[in-house]
């Protein structure tokens, strides 16, 4: 029989240390929903999502109850809509977003991702139309999330797309000014986007994926923090070992939920994304893990090293726990969604520059960063270009989810509510980058034979 | 199919009776019980067989939860697999 200690340890992780399954995401291919008539195509999309995901939410809830583990989000990701929409002549792409939104509403999921385009090497006319429609699509729907991949290690950086995304983000902010620029929180700009990522806003169902698949994202920064509290003062070997063991246990739980959801829904199981994704709840913060390692405040010197250790140990622990590890796997460092990060920004310990450095060793990038409302589109594009360069040169995924909150200035706080939390407005460099962004074209792919 | 019931809280009269009555009514067989006081907290862990259970799992879970509130304790039932998958390779 199971030992008392083991049972109580599991309970404690769930009840006191905020261990949870962050998301069950059903990926649905929409490749058979193309049609030259936009209304027919939208109807096909709605019908397919509503049919495939019919039992997703209730299955999630049942697993939650039976295993006693909270499952925070049930979500859907679909084939990047730019690929589907291309066959129709209409330019009113927002209709696709509305069809997705209605389907998400019908099946009761929290978010639906995939209003996306992949333009790392260049645009098709469908990509162009989709990107142009993002501000309206995100400001007139509730649950739709969007992403655009503007760069990859193989293709380099599409600087035309980078320039355009700066303007798209600004427009998103203007259209949702009264809700703290919420549309920007639903939009991610990627370099090296992965096809099986269950985390919003960047989730989409890649073209290499099967018809329908279940991906699970696990999270438990609180559990790692508590485990580290027990090895206070120990050397880094011990720290890494402790994180590894904890990540193993967390991932095993994700694997169980993924298998169970897959069995009950009769849909193949894709991956477990073993990430440490924070929530605004106290005790569920990645920043506090870093501070537990001995940093006075997240953002001070040593933070990048601490994050590198954390990220690597999480992957090492998780990879043995499941043979289907994928997605983004690692530590997420969104600012507004992490109590410790918010505190670090407020106390001036954490700057945009330091966050950028941290993204070299974490799983995604500049995530949920609020900047002053008067930040120019070019500056935002330049921030995206920097982040994309880090991803392209280092052969990793990077992303930017940035919110130029209208009317807000450095030091103000923007409230988003729920999992999105609240973000202190961060300082950006006041010198311009317009001439740089204006050049357009493509930054060539890097040479990797002389790596350094 | 087996499940683990955990009872945590302050010790008092009638805890085991309260839990086992609900289980008997639902045709759930008790396979093993361990009970101890850990750091002043009454801790009871019961392994049960729920394959003959005559009510849906979530109803059983709600009844135990309600009994817990009544007795001032936290009573939870979870499928055994969650502990096995976490602690057994």
């Amino acid at each position: 029989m199971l030992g008392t200690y083991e049972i109580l340890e599991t309970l404690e992780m769930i009840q006191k240390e905020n261990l949870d399954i962050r998301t069950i995401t059903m990926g649905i291919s929409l490749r058979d929903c193309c049609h030259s008539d936009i209304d027919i195509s939208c109807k096909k999309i709605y019908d397919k999502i509503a049919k495939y995901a019919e039992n997703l939410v209730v299955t999630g809830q049942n697993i939650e109850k039976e295993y006693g583990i909270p499952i925070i989000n049930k979500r859907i990701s679909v084939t990047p809509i730019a690929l589907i929409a291309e066959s129709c002549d209409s330019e009113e792409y927002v209709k696709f977003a509305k069809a997705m939104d209605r389907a998400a509403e019908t099946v009761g999921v929290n978010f639906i991702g995939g209003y996306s385009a992949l333009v790392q090497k260049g645009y098709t006319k469908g990509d162009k139309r989709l990107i142009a429609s993002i501000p309206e699509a995100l400001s007139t729907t509730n649950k739709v999330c969007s992403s655009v991949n503007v760069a990859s290690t193989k293709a380099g950086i599409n600087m035309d797309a980078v320039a355009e995304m700066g303007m798209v983000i600004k427009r998103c902010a203007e259209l949702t000014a009264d809700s703290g620029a919420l549309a920007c929180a639903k939009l991610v700009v990627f370099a090296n986007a992965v096809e099986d990522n269950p985390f919003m806003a960047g989730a989409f169902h890649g073209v290499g994926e099967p018809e329908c698949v279940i991906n699970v994202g696990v999270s438990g920064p609180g559990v790692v923090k508590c485990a580290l509290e027990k090895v206070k003062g120990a050397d880094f070997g011990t720290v890494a070992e402790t994180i590894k063991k904890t990540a193993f246990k967390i991932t095993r739980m994700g694997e169980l939920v993924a298998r169970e959801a897959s069995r009950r829904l009769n849909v193949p199981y894709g991956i477990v994304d073993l990430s440490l994704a924070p929530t605004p709840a106290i005790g569920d913060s990645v920043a506090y893990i870093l501070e537990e390692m001995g940093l006075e405040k997240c953002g001070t010197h040593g933070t990048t090293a601490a994050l590198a250790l954390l990220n690597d140990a999480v992957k090492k622990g998780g990879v043995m726990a499941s043979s289907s590890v994928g997605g983004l796997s690692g530590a997420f460092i969104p600012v507004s969604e992490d109590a410790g990060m918010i505190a670090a920004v407020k106390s001036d310990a954490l700057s945009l520059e330091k966050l950028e450095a941290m993204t070299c060793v974490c799983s995604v990038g500049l995530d949920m960063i609020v900047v002053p409302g008067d930040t120019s589109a070019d500056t935002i594009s330049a921030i995206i270009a920097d982040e994309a360069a880090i991803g392209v040169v280092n052969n990793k995924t990077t992303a930017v989810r940035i919110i130029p909150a209208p009317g807000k200035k450095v030091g103000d706080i923007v409230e988003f509510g729920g999992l999105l939390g609240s973000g202190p407005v961060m300082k950006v460099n006041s010198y311009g980058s317009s001439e740089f962004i204006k050049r357009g074209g493509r930054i060539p792919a890097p040479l990797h034979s002389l790596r350094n | 199919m087996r499940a683990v019931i955990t009872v945590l809280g302050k010790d008092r009269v009638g805890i085991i009776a309260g839990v086992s009555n609900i289980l008997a009514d639902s045709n759930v067989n008790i396979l093993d019980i361990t009970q101890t006081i850990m750091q002043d907290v009454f801790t009871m862990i019961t392994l049960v067989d729920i394959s003959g259970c005559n009510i849906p799992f979530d109803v059983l879970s709600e009844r135990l939860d309600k009994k817990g509130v009544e007795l001032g304790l936290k009573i939870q039932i979870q499928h055994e697999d969650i502990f096995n998958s976490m602690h057994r390779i």
Side-chain angles (χ1 to χ4, degrees):
Chain A
M1 187 186 164
L2 286 154
T4 311
Y5 174 78
E6 291 167 336
I7 290 173
L8 293 179
E9 187 192 25
T10 306
L11 283 182
E12 189 150 310
M13 281 177 166
I14 296 169
Q15 285 167 6
K16 292 202 191 133
E17 301 165 5
N18 298 319
L19 174 62
D20 58 42
I21 301 292
R22 187 53 52 88
T23 175
I24 297 186
T25 304
M26 178 181 268
I28 304 172
S29 166
L30 297 181
R31 274 150 68 183
D32 54 356
C33 297
C34 301
H35 199 281
S36 54
D37 182 328
I38 187 167
D39 294 319
I40 296 177
S41 185
C42 285
K43 182 167 185 313
K44 282 177 141 185
I45 288 174
Y46 174 87
D47 290 347
K48 186 163 185 185
I49 296 170
K51 180 169 150 259
Y52 275 54
E54 199 181 0
N55 297 319
L56 176 64
V57 172
V58 60
T59 304
Q61 285 165 346
N62 287 342
I63 294 175
E64 197 170 353
K65 271 187 219 137
E66 287 173 30
Y67 292 99
I69 169 97
I71 301 174
I72 311 296
N73 292 297
K74 291 92 187 172
R75 294 164 171 173
I76 294 169
S77 63
V78 298
T79 311
I81 291 294
L83 304 178
I84 309 307
E86 188 115 20
S87 331
C88 73
D89 305 325
S90 170
E91 290 187 21
E92 298 168 81
Y93 275 27
V94 175
K95 280 187 176 176
F96 288 105
K98 294 210 163 137
M100 288 163 72
D101 203 41
R102 274 200 312 278
E105 203 70 61
T106 305
V107 298
V109 291
N110 310 89
F111 280 116
I112 181 163
Y115 198 75
S116 307
L118 310 172
V119 296
Q120 59 270 27
K121 209 164 180 185
Y123 293 92
T124 64
K125 71 175 194 307
D127 294 331
K128 277 218 163 74
R129 286 175 184 167
L130 183 117
I131 293 174
S133 74
I134 288 174
E136 195 190 336
L138 294 185
S139 56
T140 56
T141 57
N142 293 321
K143 304 194 168 201
V144 174
C145 292
S146 174
S147 59
V148 177
N149 191 57
V150 297
S152 76
T153 298
K154 288 254 187 244
I157 308 172
N158 180 347
M159 288 300 289
D160 293 325
V162 168
E164 188 175 0
M165 288 316 293
M167 289 184 278
V168 167
I169 289 168
K170 283 293 279 185
R171 186 76 191 126
C172 280
E174 284 161 20
L175 289 178
T176 49
D178 46 358
S179 57
L182 190 61
C184 299
K186 298 188 283 180
L187 173 62
V188 180
V189 185
F190 271 119
N192 290 326
V194 293
E195 299 195 328
D196 54 5
N197 158 29
F199 289 109
M200 293 297 167
F204 64 85
H205 185 74
V207 287
E209 294 283 301
E211 176 73 9
C212 187
V213 72
I214 290 290
N215 294 328
V216 164
V218 198
S219 188
V223 183
V224 175
K225 158 91 166 57
C226 291
L228 287 185
E229 282 171 11
K230 291 173 195 146
V231 294
K232 243 187 187 31
D235 70 3
F236 282 114
T238 313
V239 170
E241 190 62 23
T242 306
I243 298 171
K244 221 163 73 180
K245 284 183 181 151
T246 312
F248 175 83
K249 290 181 183 172
I250 297 174
T251 312
R252 294 281 292 176
M253 190 174 281
E255 163 101 359
L256 170 74
V257 169
R259 279 188 192 291
E260 206 45 40
S262 147
R263 189 180 62 79
R264 293 182 190 196
L265 290 162
N266 197 22
V267 167
Y269 135 51
I271 57 110
V272 176
D273 187 310
L274 50 115
S275 286
L276 296 181
T279 68
I282 299 290
D284 206 17
S285 152
V286 170
Y288 288 153
I289 300 177
L290 304 177
E291 289 172 11
E292 185 59 40
M293 287 190 215
L295 303 167
E296 191 180 353
K297 207 81 187 163
C298 175
T300 187
H301 304 290
T303 306
T304 312
L307 182 60
L309 180 152
L310 172 66
N311 216 38
D312 182 65
V314 164
K315 287 178 187 175
K316 284 175 179 162
V319 91
M320 185 179 155
S322 166
S323 296
S324 311
V325 171
L328 294 163
S329 293
F332 282 69
I333 51 168
V335 174
S336 83
E337 299 169 11
D338 186 313
M341 293 281 180
I342 296 170
V345 172
K346 279 186 185 162
S347 54
D348 266 343
L350 183 60
S351 66
L352 201 54
E353 288 75 15
K354 187 64 179 180
L355 272 167
E356 186 184 307
M358 288 162 74
T359 65
C360 299
V361 299
C362 81
S363 67
V364 196
L366 292 173
D367 198 13
M368 291 301 286
I369 313 267
V370 188
V371 295
D374 60 3
T375 308
S376 73
D378 288 338
T379 296
I380 291 171
S381 293
I383 292 171
I384 295 171
D386 280 343
E387 200 51 40
I390 289 173
V392 165
V393 172
N394 295 299
N395 221 339
K396 73 185 287 296
T397 304
T398 50
V400 174
R401 185 157 55 141
I402 192 166
I403 299 139
K408 303 284 181 182
K409 50 186 196 310
V410 176
D412 290 350
I413 304 284
V414 182
E415 289 286 342
F416 301 106
L419 269 187
L420 297 172
S422 68
V425 178
M426 298 181 76
K427 188 175 164 292
V428 296
N429 199 310
S430 57
Y431 292 95
S433 321
S434 306
E435 293 303 317
F436 178 76
I437 295 300
K438 220 181 274 167
R439 285 177 186 269
R442 187 151 56 96
I443 295 181
L447 173 72
H448 271 309
S449 62
L450 303 172
R451 286 202 75 162
N452 49 20
Chain B
M1 209 170 3
R2 304 199 298 183
V4 173
I5 298 172
T6 42
V7 181
L8 300 172
K10 199 173 165 340
D11 196 10
R12 55 170 290 170
V13 175
I15 298 175
I16 297 180
V19 173
S20 52
N21 271 338
I22 294 177
L23 298 177
D25 288 347
S26 327
N27 197 35
V28 171
N29 191 24
I30 296 176
L31 304 172
D32 196 351
I33 292 188
T34 62
Q35 184 233 297
T36 174
I37 306 285
M38 281 178 84
Q39 293 164 350
D40 299 331
V41 181
F42 173 84
T43 308
M44 182 173 105
I45 296 173
T46 312
L47 184 69
V48 295
D49 181 355
I50 52 168
S51 42
C53 186
N54 57 19
I55 49 171
F57 188 91
D58 53 338
V59 178
L60 177 62
S61 168
E62 269 163 38
R63 281 190 195 165
L64 288 167
D65 189 55
K66 226 173 100 193
K67 180 54 84 181
V69 175
E70 203 181 301
L71 296 172
L73 297 152
K74 173 108 187 120
I75 307 182
Q76 207 180 355
I77 181 164
Q78 290 163 282
H79 268 290
E80 184 197 29
D81 284 358
I82 191 158
F83 306 103
N84 281 333
S85 72
M86 207 172 190
H87 298 283
R88 300 278 181 272
I89 300 176

